[in-house]
Amino acid sequence: MSNNNTIVGHKIKGLRESKNLTIEEVAERSGLTVEQISSIESDQNLPSLGPLIKIARALGVRLGTFMDDSDALGPVVCRAADRERETSISFSNDATDARKHMEYHPLAQQKAGRHMEPFVIDINPEESPEFQLSAHEGEEFIYVMQGEVEIVYGKDTYNLKEGDSIFYDSIVKHHVHGAPGKSAKILAVVYIPF
């Protein structure tokens, strides 16, 4: 597996083409711009999960479809040693922003028919994070394994340190990032009803 970012973009493009949809149609259905869709399909940089979830909805598939390796029906075990060797998926702050501030390590790529997406996420430090809030259906649970994170949720900002957790409805506009100048490692579980 050379680059998961390319694989995700390639899968999105393949799904769109298999459904005979134009980029313009997917943009209209998802509420994203044609430029954002085109960038996601062809570029190395992926947006945050919000836009990907909107594209999944527009294509009528689960978010996990973009990241699936194979379809295991039973339990899926993800060993720490395997996770360290595998290429992560990097997301930028925005669908058109090339700066990578988060590296996602999927924990259940092989699980077929899943509704939860568990990740270990490495958050790189930024002195003054710039971000766009996103909203999508579902729920998110975040547990801080190392470091410090800020979560903007609606009009509130929550500062979480190692051992802290938060559970929230994703329909409220939100953004997860490192506290200014701090790096972090979090466990995030995203639930998206299908």
Side-chain angles (χ1 to χ4, degrees):
M1 216 184 289
S2 58
N3 186 320
N4 278 333
N5 293 355
T6 316
I7 291 167
V8 172
H10 181 74
K11 282 189 178 181
I12 290 171
K13 184 176 183 179
L15 282 164
R16 176 181 60 75
E17 289 175 346
S18 74
K19 294 175 182 288
N20 293 318
L21 294 170
T22 64
I23 289 179
E24 290 77 13
E25 288 169 319
V26 173
E28 186 179 326
R29 289 181 181 190
S30 65
L32 300 172
T33 66
V34 170
E35 292 77 21
Q36 286 173 310
I37 306 287
S38 182
S39 168
I40 291 164
E41 284 189 357
S42 63
D43 204 357
Q44 298 283 329
N45 299 307
L46 294 176
S48 60
L49 286 178
L52 287 182
I53 291 167
K54 289 177 181 175
I55 292 171
R57 288 256 176 241
L59 294 174
V61 298
R62 296 176 300 103
L63 172 65
T65 306
F66 302 153
M67 300 168 201
D68 288 346
D69 277 348
S70 59
D71 292 333
L73 298 174
V76 171
V77 175
C78 181
R79 304 276 181 207
D82 295 338
R83 190 174 71 241
E84 300 298 322
R85 283 196 303 267
E86 289 177 9
T87 307
S88 62
I89 302 172
S90 295
F91 291 89
S92 61
N93 274 320
D94 178 71
T96 55
D97 178 359
R99 290 183 305 124
K100 295 176 183 177
H101 81 292
M102 297 178 113
E103 288 183 16
Y104 285 63
H105 304 274
L107 300 177
Q109 284 180 288
Q110 294 84 13
K111 179 66 178 159
R114 66 191 180 275
H115 295 281
M116 293 188 302
E117 290 295 333
F119 301 96
V120 168
I121 304 172
D122 292 314
I123 302 174
N124 300 318
E126 295 181 87
E127 283 308 318
S128 52
E130 293 175 28
F131 50 83
Q132 261 191 316
L133 299 179
S134 68
H136 51 85
E137 288 183 64
E139 300 170 336
E140 293 183 33
F141 170 79
I142 293 170
Y143 174 81
V144 182
M145 299 166 66
Q146 293 172 1
E148 195 174 330
V149 297
E150 261 183 11
I151 295 156
V152 176
Y153 185 76
K155 294 181 177 169
D156 298 316
T157 300
Y158 298 91
N159 189 282
L160 302 180
K161 295 185 176 169
E162 190 172 318
D164 293 344
S165 65
I166 187 170
F167 189 115
Y168 54 85
D169 292 314
S170 310
I171 201 71
V172 175
K173 285 188 173 275
H174 62 279
H175 194 275
V176 178
H177 50 271
K182 308 262 179 141
S183 61
K185 182 184 287 277
I186 62 175
L187 169 67
V189 181
V190 180
Y191 166 73
I192 303 140
F194 185 72

